[in-house]
Amino acid sequence: MARAGKSKASSGGTSANVKRWLIRGLKVGALASVAGLIALVIAVIVAMQSLPNYEALKSSPNGQMIRVHAADGSVIVSLGPSFGRWLSFDQIPAVMTDAMVSVEDKRFYSHPGVDPIGLARAAWFAVENRGTKRRLQGASTITQQVTRNIFLNNSYTWGRKVREMILAMALERKFSKRQILELYLNKVYFGGGAYGVDAASRKFFGHPGTELSLPEAAIIAGLVKAPSSYSPTADAEAAIGRAGVVLDVMRENGAITAVQRADANLAGVKLAPEAPQNSVRYFTDWALPQLDTLIDEPAEPLEVWTTIDLNMQHAATAAIKDNTPAGTQGALVSVDRDGAVRAMVGGNDYVTSNYNRATQAVRQPGSAFKLFVYMAALEAGYTPDTAVKDEPVDIDGWQPRNSSGRYSGDMDIRTAFAYSINTVAAKLGMEVGFATIADMARRFGISTPVNTHPSMVLGTSDVRLIDMTRAFASVARKGVAVTPYGITKVTTADGRMLYEHEDDTSRVLVAPWVAAGITDLLQTAVNTGTGKAAQIGRPVAGKTGTTNSNKDGWFMGFSSGITTGVWMGRDNARAVGGLQGGRAPAQAFAQYMKVAVAKRPVEQFETEVTLPEWQLEPDEESYFGEPDNGMYVDENGMPVERGRTEAPVDPEPPVDDSTQDVVAPQKMDQNWIDNVLGRERPARERPRNVPPPN
């Protein structure tokens, strides 16, 4: 009995202790809750005092807008956020507000800025999905979204979430539900650059936001969850599917009746046609990323003034479309004498492919690369009249051949360049050094790896069209370096100057007489050689390029201060029957340049040469043997491993033009020209202090 009584007493004491600790816990919890509530109230009051007035909230920026101007000042594209007219709450159709509240925050009119039920649901979601790294869902109210859009950012941290809640409750205390909803509907992002109901309505449906129908309102309300995924211009089927969910939710919440839901014809909604994309986007895609290095202004609206000439751009687009062979792509870059890009076409159609072949693609240039071979020779002491010999060449097993399949013996440099004699280019490479030629290419702006294999003289190193155009432009500028640029100045919307381009003429790449000599050769190639199709009725200097098996066709040239490069070929590097630099690319060059220089005065070159009216060389390169010796060098002359970026292609049968009936070139030296014209020729002086070639 004593033990039983003792046991009961012990049990009663334990029970009393538990009750005592439970009461203490409840008291501590209550005190903590009261303290937390007081702290929350104080935080909300402090936040409310710091909030700006309603007009300031209306004018707060939604993001940076950029307007891009052509050379004539016209606006060619607007990027960043687009804003419609601000609609007051009474101007916004009721179906729009009902749709937004139903799908985004159905307890909007009853909660204090933070939805306790939504928080509980989000907490349960977190418990169910712990360890999956999935974010909380369903916790943000419309008021919280307004505070996040105006005052905070989208970083997902607990600290940001707490600040968001406090600001949301402060916003609810300072402004009415109508004002908050008006802010939200005028500032929320709906995709496609459209901020606000009016901008979204105009973009997607072509009419003001005051005229929205129930199906249109459902489509717009459905965009907020994922603007890029449900955009009607990007995926109309997904947009309509999401709008159907919005209508169902509206029906469940009593915002619309079952009859209204049934009558809402989503399939009958007419979308506004998208503004057609055109080739000028190739230019803006290339130029605008340069803003990051030119200015430091992340918020203010920008006015960007560019070099693009819309008339020239239109002519360039037409030239590529009219002359590019079926099944191939074409690209064109055209720069002014100071490097201002006046036209840029990166492909046949921007809508189907925004890949910019003018600035991104790397392809073999073929004989167009001989520009650097002959400039290196001229700098070493050769002249256009220097005698050379077309004969068989064997360099460590590599035996280049001419497209004629024969050798013509003695000739001069001018003749060899005009008819693109491959054996002479190979011999020049041996004479001046393949590394010297690679250095010349680097000097003139070739940014891709340049190999020093013997076959490099025939253009086996991959290059970009814009880099080759830059090199020819530097020749046209008499050896002064040209850097292509697309932005002339950048200002803020109120006219404050942030950047203005300045021309740099300080970098001289070669001596003027070297530039004059290569211009002489380039003019020869157009007047009588492979580039005859590029003639435009005024002096043109240029060079064709065709790679092995006709995979790439090039024409590079300049006239009257404009330098233009044209490339054509297939993206997968497969052969194109009949593609030669002297045909379609040269024809596209001529068609474009006739428009580009029409209003410019005719400019004569310093070396005027009259040449016969025939063309002998179809500008094909043929390779015998596998030249293993040599290396690739980077822009600093350091050896690098060659990394091909082209996709693998099926092998093509070699194209053999050795049986073509081609007349052997005659020796076209200056004496021959002078005799034909009946004029006397002064003795040509060799540059001083330059040793004669071996």
Side-chain angles (χ1 to χ4, degrees):
M1 293 293 294
R3 289 183 180 177
K6 193 172 184 179
S7 177
K8 288 181 181 179
S10 175
S11 176
T14 301
S15 178
N17 288 336
V18 171
K19 182 183 287 188
R20 192 163 42 251
W21 281 107
L22 182 59
I23 292 172
R24 286 181 182 177
L26 291 174
K27 288 180 179 179
V28 171
L31 289 174
S33 298
V34 172
L37 182 61
I38 293 173
L40 179 62
V41 170
I42 293 173
V44 171
I45 292 174
V46 171
M48 187 172 64
Q49 297 299 321
S50 66
L51 290 175
N53 59 38
Y54 191 71
E55 290 301 318
L57 292 180
K58 287 173 61 175
S59 62
S60 60
N62 286 325
Q64 190 173 36
M65 186 174 184
I66 301 175
R67 292 205 310 169
V68 184
H69 300 260
D72 62 1
S74 60
V75 177
I76 55 178
V77 66
S78 293
L79 303 175
S82 61
F83 309 98
R85 188 167 62 89
W86 186 277
L87 302 181
S88 67
F89 184 84
D90 293 331
Q91 292 176 310
I92 301 172
V95 290
M96 186 70 249
T97 56
D98 290 343
M100 194 64 75
V101 170
S102 295
V103 75
E104 288 294 315
D105 187 4
K106 65 180 180 181
R107 286 176 290 275
F108 171 72
Y109 291 106
S110 60
H111 63 64
V114 176
D115 183 6
I117 298 176
L119 286 174
R121 185 174 63 250
W124 180 251
F125 178 87
V127 171
E128 285 187 324
N129 295 276
R130 60 186 181 277
T132 63
K133 297 183 179 181
R134 295 181 65 182
R135 292 186 174 187
L136 297 180
Q137 293 183 358
S140 290
T141 64
I142 284 178
T143 313
Q144 286 177 261
Q145 293 181 51
V146 170
T147 59
R148 182 167 63 246
N149 291 340
I150 297 178
F151 302 111
L152 304 172
N153 54 47
N154 288 320
S155 63
Y156 194 77
T157 62
W158 284 107
R160 195 272 294 164
K161 196 68 178 177
V162 171
R163 290 195 302 272
E164 177 187 296
M165 292 179 182
I166 292 173
L167 284 171
M169 288 186 283
L171 207 67
E172 290 270 356
R173 302 278 68 78
K174 187 164 185 175
F175 304 110
S176 69
K177 292 285 187 179
R178 287 166 59 98
Q179 287 177 311
I180 293 171
L181 198 53
E182 180 182 315
L183 276 174
Y184 181 70
L185 288 171
N186 280 283
K187 299 183 76 65
V188 69
Y189 181 60
F190 291 105
Y195 283 82
V197 170
D198 191 62
S201 179
R202 294 175 188 274
K203 176 176 180 59
F204 299 127
F205 309 123
H207 59 69
T210 55
E211 302 173 8
L212 285 168
S213 65
L214 175 59
E216 292 171 342
I219 290 175
I220 290 180
L223 296 175
V224 177
K225 182 179 180 180
S228 60
S229 299
Y230 297 123
S231 172
T233 55
D235 190 340
E237 185 176 347
I240 291 175
R242 173 63 179 166
V245 174
V246 174
L247 290 172
D248 291 339
V249 173
M250 293 178 70
R251 170 68 184 91
E252 293 172 5
N253 294 340
I256 60 175
T257 65
V259 174
Q260 288 175 306
R261 170 64 182 95
D263 291 341
N265 182 15
L266 293 171
V269 174
K270 293 183 178 180
L271 299 176
E274 278 282 276
Q277 300 282 4
N278 54 54
S279 64
V280 77
R281 287 298 301 274
Y282 287 115
F283 170 77
T284 56
D285 287 354
W286 168 76
L288 292 182
Q290 301 168 26
L291 287 173
D292 291 339
T293 63
L294 301 179
I295 62 171
D296 183 16
E297 178 49 70
E300 285 198 52
L302 301 178
E303 302 285 346
V304 180
W305 306 81
T306 70
T307 58
I308 201 74
D309 184 300
L310 294 181
N311 289 332
M312 295 170 71
Q313 179 69 21
H314 178 74
T317 303
I320 291 298
K321 288 185 176 180
D322 293 346
N323 294 279
T324 303
T328 66
Q329 287 284 348
L332 181 151
V333 176
S334 185
V335 302
D336 218 322
R337 63 180 81 247
D338 67 339
V341 176
R342 299 303 184 192
M344 177 181 288
V345 179
N348 295 346
D349 181 41
Y350 183 87
V351 176
T352 57
S353 173
N354 59 11
Y355 178 61
N356 195 336
R357 297 156 187 83
T359 61
Q360 296 173 278
V362 289
R363 303 297 288 260
Q364 292 183 354
S367 287
F369 193 83
K370 290 177 182 176
L371 174 81
F372 309 115
V373 177
Y374 281 81
M375 274 200 295
L378 292 171
E379 193 172 59
Y382 287 82
T383 72
D385 297 319
T386 299
V388 289
K389 189 173 185 178
D390 174 21
E391 59 186 350
V393 176
D394 189 319
I395 306 175
D396 297 328
W398 178 62
Q399 301 171 356
R401 75 174 184 187
N402 300 319
S403 60
S404 65
R406 60 185 69 122
Y407 306 99
S408 302
D410 293 335
M411 61 180 62
D412 59 18
I413 290 291
R414 180 182 290 107
T415 304
F417 186 85
Y419 300 134
S420 207
I421 304 299
N422 292 332
T423 58
V424 172
K427 293 173 71 174
L428 291 177
M430 286 193 297
E431 291 288 339
V432 303
F434 302 112
T436 301
I437 296 170
D439 174 73
M440 182 66 72
R442 285 287 179 208
R443 201 189 309 176
F444 273 76
I446 299 302
S447 58
T448 45
V450 180
N451 73 54
T452 53
H453 301 134
S455 61
M456 62 96 75
V457 299
L458 304 186
T460 58
S461 293
D462 293 335
V463 297
R464 295 184 177 90
L465 176 59
I466 194 169
D467 288 347
M468 288 295 290
T469 307
R470 173 185 186 177
F472 276 77
S474 298
V475 171
R477 210 178 189 186
K478 302 178 181 179
V480 177
V482 170
T483 301
Y485 70 97
I487 298 175
T488 57
K489 67 177 180 179
V490 182
T491 68
T492 59
D494 59 4
R496 179 167 59 91
M497 186 69 70
L498 299 177
Y499 165 79
E500 191 166 15
H501 176 80
E502 294 182 3
D503 187 19
D504 180 11
T505 59
S506 62
R507 293 180 56 237
V508 178
L509 305 178
V510 292
W513 56 266
V514 175
I518 196 66
T519 301
D520 183 335
L521 301 184
L522 292 168
Q523 185 180 202
T524 302
V526 175
N527 283 344
T528 190
T530 61
K532 186 177 179 182
Q535 295 176 2
I536 59 174
R538 62 171 68 195
V540 174
K543 185 71 182 77
T544 57
T546 308
T547 59
N548 200 31
S549 298
N550 304 83
K551 294 178 180 179
D552 304 271
W554 300 70
F555 187 85
M556 318 293 303
F558 51 86
S559 177
S560 302
I562 295 292
T563 302
T564 300
V566 177
W567 167 87
M568 293 178 185
R570 289 196 174 106
D571 287 336
N572 61 6
R574 293 176 67 92
V576 181
L579 178 62
Q580 296 179 8
R583 294 181 183 176
Q587 292 164 356
F589 172 91
Q591 179 178 327
Y592 163 74
M593 287 291 284
K594 288 175 182 178
V595 176
V597 302
K599 297 181 180 179
R600 293 177 174 236
V602 176
E603 296 182 15
Q604 300 292 337
F605 298 122
E606 291 186 354
T607 54
E608 297 183 17
V609 183
T610 304
L611 299 161
E613 293 286 327
W614 57 47
Q615 175 178 331
L616 301 180
E617 188 261 331
D619 200 34
E620 302 262 3
E621 285 77 50
S622 301
Y623 314 111
F624 279 55
E626 294 292 336
D628 295 329
N629 58 325
M631 61 183 179
Y632 280 77
V633 295
D634 62 15
E635 63 273 15
N636 300 312
M638 301 299 292
V640 297
E641 291 292 331
R642 186 185 192 198
R644 294 287 300 198
T645 59
E646 296 174 350
V649 298
D650 295 332
E652 294 286 336
V655 177
D656 187 355
D657 295 304
S658 60
T659 60
Q660 292 182 1
D661 185 13
V662 181
V663 181
Q666 300 179 6
K667 184 176 180 180
M668 282 189 318
D669 57 17
Q670 193 64 45
N671 290 328
W672 182 89
I673 297 170
D674 292 336
N675 290 335
V676 171
L677 299 178
R679 66 186 182 190
E680 296 183 0
R681 174 182 178 240
R684 190 181 187 106
E685 295 185 359
R686 176 182 231 8
R688 296 182 179 179
N689 302 322
V690 178
N694 294 330

